[in-house]
Every structure is written in structure tokens, then in C-alpha cells.
Amino acid sequence: MRRPKQYKSCEMPECKATLKVLVLNASLKHEPDISNTGELAEKVLGYIKSEDASVDTEVVRLADKNILVGLKYNEGEGDDWPEIASKIKSADILILASPVWWGGRSSLIQRVIERMDALDEDYLKSGKSALYNKVAGIVITGSEDGALNVMGSIMMVLSWFGFALPPECACYWVGEVGMPPKEDREKRLKNQATDQMAKILARNLIYYSKLLKNNPLVLK
């Protein structure tokens, strides 16, 4: 069980560039239904704006996109993945937000990982990655246990794809075993540990993204 830490502000590196943050919300719910995962991700974005008001943010709700099965950049007519892949390439910070389903990550996060394989294949062929010098974070929600398992599996993928993972690069909330899921939202909104995690995640994402903007890793 994670022991909550208190948020502390820090002196941010100087950075003239406007950072771009992209959230991929892998909730299985469609708009306009309220998504616990989406709301927690929005909380993180709010704290990111508190750290740097100039940051450009965007949320893509994957359940409302048509992401075809496959490993190519474009799997044919109606495939929304090329547009999403373009957004990932242009982002400085990527946040993968997933609910926990039966102890594992959302099927939509899995689909994203599968489609991002094309970017990794380019890295293998060229020796250069479109994902280096990008920072990643993770948001998890669920009705019962499984958050740490999902975090760990996503962290591994992000690291091998080339993303930089700052300290405390995730925040999560999970409900009690056996309690009605309909009570989850009210409890989550009151949870101070999750709130502190969201603040720390936001601070660290911005800090390390600015470091990389100023000192990018250049592959020759």
C-alpha cells in the first residue's frame, strides 16, 4: 500500500517553449458519461496548469475513437490511429489513463500499446526514437485492487518505448473490495492521498519535461 507524501513546490527550470500535454483516457465509458479515470486525469491537468499556466493540454477519449486492430501506422479506411499517433509525436508529456479491469489494464490501453509498436519498429530500424525526450505519466482508477500491477506493466512499456519516467510518475485511486461501484466517485473525490499524488505527478511531469527541453538526449 502506498504511503501518501505531502506535496512540496519546487523551483522550475527556465523553459521558453510551450509544453504540450496529451492525455489518452482509456475508460470504456463513452461521452457524456462521467469517467472516474477521466476526472482524475483532469485533476492532474489542473495541477499541471497550476505549475505552468502556459501549458497546452488535450484529452483524447479513446472509447469514442475507432482504433483498428493492427501494427501499422494506418490500418485502412476509418482508422483514427494515425491522428492519435501524430498527437503523441507532437506532445512533450503523455499521460496514459486507464481503469483497472479484473486486475489488468484497459483493453483500450492495450490497443494503444499494440499500435505504438510501429513507432518502436521505426526506432529499431533507424536507431532513433520519435518518443525520446518525452515524459510520461500514468493515471489509474478501479473499484478494487490491481492499480500497482497495472502501473508496473504500463511503466515497463513506456520505458522501453523511450519515454522518460520521472519519480512518482503515477497517481491512482481504487475502491474497497465488495463496496458498490456507484459509491466510488464520491469516495475518490474526498481522498486526500490521491489528491497529493496528483499534485506530485503534475509537478514532476512539468519539471522533467522542462529539463529535457533544455537538455535533449540526441542520438547520433
Side-chain angles (χ1 to χ4, degrees):
M1 180 177 182
R2 187 187 184 281
R3 299 165 71 180
K5 301 178 179 69
Q6 292 297 312
Y7 166 85
K8 300 288 185 182
S9 61
C10 70
E11 183 176 345
M12 288 289 175
E14 293 290 335
C15 181
K16 295 181 180 180
T18 299
L19 300 178
K20 294 182 179 180
V21 183
L22 175 66
V23 174
L24 299 183
N25 176 9
S27 169
L28 301 186
K29 298 175 182 176
H30 298 272
E31 291 283 8
D33 291 348
I34 293 173
S35 158
N36 282 310
T37 305
E39 280 196 331
L40 184 52
E42 290 286 357
K43 179 184 282 285
V44 174
L45 291 181
Y47 287 134
I48 283 176
K49 285 285 190 180
S50 296
E51 298 288 350
D52 185 343
S54 71
V55 171
D56 180 29
T57 65
E58 182 177 2
V59 178
V60 174
R61 195 154 181 173
L62 299 174
D64 294 324
K65 299 295 181 179
N66 186 34
I67 305 174
L68 299 180
V69 175
L71 297 173
K72 301 176 184 177
Y73 279 113
N74 192 332
E75 287 293 339
E77 184 177 355
D79 189 6
D80 287 332
W81 178 251
E83 180 183 3
I84 297 171
S86 178
K87 293 177 186 294
I88 292 172
K89 286 182 177 181
S90 66
D92 300 296
I93 298 171
L94 175 69
I95 298 175
L96 295 185
S98 176
V100 178
W101 280 101
W102 294 99
R105 57 200 181 206
S106 159
S107 60
L108 290 172
I109 283 292
Q110 182 63 28
R111 179 65 54 84
V112 165
I113 290 169
E114 291 163 357
R115 293 302 301 271
M116 284 178 70
D117 192 73
L119 295 167
D120 200 47
E121 286 295 323
D122 283 351
Y123 180 17
L124 289 169
K125 292 175 183 177
S126 68
K128 296 183 179 180
S129 172
L131 304 178
Y132 261 61
N133 299 311
K134 299 181 186 298
V135 175
I138 302 165
V139 170
I140 304 293
T141 63
S143 290
E144 296 184 8
D145 201 0
L148 299 181
N149 174 60
V150 173
M151 274 183 237
S153 67
I154 295 175
M155 285 179 193
M156 180 275 293
V157 172
L158 290 171
S159 178
W160 283 108
F161 275 163
F163 288 95
L165 302 180
E168 300 185 75
C169 65
C171 72
Y172 72 94
W173 183 89
V174 289
E176 298 176 59
V177 175
M179 294 295 104
K182 66 181 181 180
E183 299 176 3
D184 285 353
R185 182 172 183 263
E186 182 180 357
K187 293 178 180 178
R188 174 180 54 77
L189 293 173
K190 295 178 181 178
N191 192 290
Q192 292 302 306
T194 297
D195 187 65
Q196 292 297 309
M197 278 189 278
K199 288 181 180 178
I200 293 170
L201 171 59
R203 179 199 65 197
N204 292 356
L205 288 174
I206 292 294
Y207 185 92
Y208 280 85
S209 184
K210 290 186 175 186
L211 284 182
L212 284 172
K213 273 291 187 184
N214 294 337
N215 303 280
L217 174 59
V218 180
L219 302 178
K220 298 181 179 180

